[in-house]
Amino acid sequence: MKRLTIAAILAAALSSTALAEDKVTIEVGYPYSALFDVTFEKIMPMFNEQYPNIEVKFRATYDDYEDGTNTVLREAVAGTLPDVTMQGLNRQAILVDKGIARSLEPFIAKEADFAKDGYHQAMLDLGTFDGAVYGLPFAVSLPVGYYNMDLMAKIGITEASQLPKTWDEVADNCKKFHEAGIENPLFWGWSITGNWFLQALMWSQGEPILNADGSVNFDGEAGLTAFKTMHKLFRECHMKNLSGTEAGLPFAAGEIAMYYWSTSSVGAIERTKGDFPLVTHEFPGIGEAPKGLPAGGNAAMLVSTSDDPARLQAAWTFLKFITSGVGASVVAETTGYMPPNKAANDLLADFYKNNPSKETAVRQADLLKDWIAYPGDNGLAITQVIYDGIEGIVTGENDDMEELQQELVEEVSDLLPKK
């Protein structure tokens, strides 16, 4: 009997050793800790239960999408890339062009009915380059308006139907707030990564920020209108200059009435806001409803340098799981991003009924346009040039919008790849 017991113990030990040897470890990087930590806290127990032999190690989170891209570019040179990285939708191209991102086509080809597994073709297109899929959308966002309805009531707005539909209406509301003694009624998300809100103003007029040939397209009337719209809002609303990190704090504290930002932050604001009724509503337009809006968010990309088939398969398994119907549902529930996977729609039907603030972006889904990346090696530098120009409007340094437009057109044109 004793021998049998020892034999059983040895067998169990050998079995455990075999399982440990079969375990595959992958490394993953993602941005915006404040947004996505809670998402992965919910996703990972489900993933670990289904795939106990895959260990996922998360690297330090990227501050934003620019930081994420810069980090991966440095890691590519140093030979320290993770296996999977989440990159801004507008930052995928540079990783494809430099051969850092790996095509997902070999993995997709082995999946039965991959297209029917829930992936919207339009969403797959966001990560498709030269006919090959390199990124699966993990989280997709659109700009929306956030409103403190206690403060809105001070100027007579008590119903969602009364919320502003144009930026002129927003500016008029600011005058009413000032008369009511509220000096800082607005924050408008000019500082969001990738000049996203400038692109929103351009797409609202039906115009991309760059032409199809890669040249500047904000040099005409649409561009000037975009700059003048920002100037009007910042001046007439007495808007303060806040960083992206700071931007949501005064709104959550109940100090700002109208906050224009990505739908991605709905979950975070709901978790931290004061005791006031929050309503989100469609993004206002320039004189009319927007004709389009840039798709924000990020995609999961395979950047592993490993040649180990087991590790690559594990990375693909993780990447596919987090962008599946289950993963997409968790993203929507914890953040406010739209699910890029239509398999999540059935899972979220009741959720949106009970969480209307997170449904606003879904109502705008038909407006989705490309979040355009600036091509070439100077893409990140162009983002900074435009950022600095818009910040000058906020601070009062830039007051002549025609002059600013001309300066930015010249600087950006010099940085774009030469034909």
Side-chain angles (χ1 to χ4, degrees):
M1 186 69 179
K2 188 175 182 180
R3 290 179 181 174
L4 288 174
T5 302
I6 293 173
I9 292 172
L10 287 172
L14 289 171
S15 177
S16 297
T17 301
L19 286 173
E21 289 176 350
D22 289 339
K23 196 156 193 171
V24 180
T25 300
I26 62 171
E27 297 189 6
V28 176
Y30 68 89
Y32 296 119
S33 174
L35 295 181
F36 290 115
D37 280 359
V38 65
T39 302
F40 283 107
E41 286 170 6
K42 191 170 181 179
I43 285 179
M44 288 315 297
M46 293 185 286
F47 179 80
N48 291 335
E49 182 178 359
Q50 189 167 341
Y51 300 102
N53 289 336
I54 299 177
E55 179 183 7
V56 179
K57 289 186 176 180
F58 290 106
R59 294 190 174 182
T61 52
Y62 314 132
D63 291 339
D64 53 32
Y65 292 142
E66 279 75 27
D67 179 46
T69 303
N70 275 322
T71 298
V72 169
L73 290 174
R74 289 194 301 269
E75 290 169 341
V77 174
T80 58
L81 285 165
D83 297 290
V84 175
T85 179
M86 275 55 152
Q87 292 287 316
L89 294 177
N90 67 327
R91 299 299 179 197
Q92 297 175 89
I94 189 172
L95 301 188
V96 175
D97 291 344
K98 290 185 175 296
I100 297 171
R102 300 176 72 141
S103 170
L104 300 178
E105 293 295 334
F107 302 95
I108 293 173
K110 296 177 182 177
E111 298 285 338
D113 298 324
F114 180 80
K116 297 178 182 178
D117 198 32
Y119 296 90
H120 287 283
Q121 186 60 48
M123 299 298 184
L124 282 179
D125 288 346
L126 296 173
T128 299
F129 301 87
D130 295 327
V133 176
Y134 283 85
L136 292 182
F138 174 64
V140 178
S141 64
L142 284 171
V144 298
Y146 296 70
Y147 300 93
N148 178 329
M149 295 307 288
D150 279 349
L151 291 181
M152 298 304 293
K154 293 182 181 296
I155 61 170
I157 295 177
T158 58
E159 303 290 339
S161 61
Q162 298 173 293
L163 292 170
K165 297 177 178 60
T166 68
W167 298 117
D168 285 340
E169 291 179 36
V170 171
D172 289 342
N173 285 342
C174 285
K175 295 175 185 176
K176 296 175 183 176
F177 278 118
H178 295 155
E179 292 170 359
I182 298 172
E183 285 303 309
N184 184 32
L186 169 91
F187 186 80
W188 193 87
W190 70 272
S191 57
I192 285 184
T193 180
N195 311 139
W196 197 45
F197 266 37
L198 174 57
Q199 294 206 30
L201 290 182
M202 291 294 294
W203 276 125
S204 289
Q205 303 171 77
E207 295 288 339
I209 198 167
L210 297 180
N211 291 308
D213 64 359
S215 62
V216 165
N217 190 43
F218 57 86
D219 54 346
E221 191 60 35
L224 184 58
T225 297
F227 291 120
K228 286 183 174 179
T229 298
M230 286 187 281
H231 183 270
K232 179 175 183 174
L233 288 173
F234 301 165
R235 294 293 181 277
E236 295 189 11
C237 295
H238 304 174
M239 195 182 82
K240 294 182 179 179
N241 185 19
L242 301 175
S243 70
T245 303
E246 300 168 330
L249 300 179
F251 179 79
E255 299 169 4
I256 287 179
M258 302 179 292
Y259 175 59
Y260 296 96
W261 197 254
S262 166
T263 186
S264 61
S265 294
V266 175
I269 287 178
E270 286 179 336
R271 290 189 290 272
T272 59
K273 76 177 183 67
D275 186 21
F276 63 84
L278 166 68
V279 169
T280 66
H281 203 58
E282 281 80 349
F283 201 63
I286 299 175
E288 59 181 346
K291 296 177 181 177
L293 291 171
N298 62 76
M301 307 185 79
L302 182 66
V303 293
S304 179
T305 57
S306 175
D307 293 324
D308 180 3
R311 185 167 179 174
L312 292 174
Q313 184 60 40
W316 165 250
T317 298
F318 174 78
L319 193 155
K320 187 176 66 165
F321 185 87
I322 64 172
T323 60
S324 68
V326 173
S329 297
V330 174
V331 172
E333 290 168 356
T334 55
T335 62
Y337 281 102
M338 291 186 295
N341 191 305
K342 60 190 177 186
N345 292 344
D346 292 339
L347 299 174
L348 293 170
D350 291 336
F351 172 78
Y352 283 129
K353 290 178 183 177
N354 298 323
N355 297 270
S357 290
K358 292 179 179 176
E359 190 182 19
T360 300
V362 178
R363 294 198 302 268
Q364 297 182 137
D366 289 344
L367 299 177
L368 277 173
K369 299 291 185 181
D370 286 343
W371 186 8
I372 293 172
Y374 307 118
D377 292 337
N378 295 322
L380 293 171
I382 291 171
T383 300
Q384 189 63 46
V385 165
I386 295 175
Y387 179 101
D388 292 342
I390 298 174
E391 186 174 30
I393 308 175
V394 182
T395 61
E397 179 182 351
N398 294 327
D399 224 23
D400 185 328
M401 293 302 97
E402 292 183 353
E403 180 180 318
L404 175 63
Q405 179 190 33
Q406 186 60 36
E407 289 177 0
L408 291 180
V409 167
E410 292 175 0
E411 289 188 59
V412 172
S413 295
D414 286 343
L415 290 169
L416 286 169
K418 301 298 183 287
K419 300 292 182 248

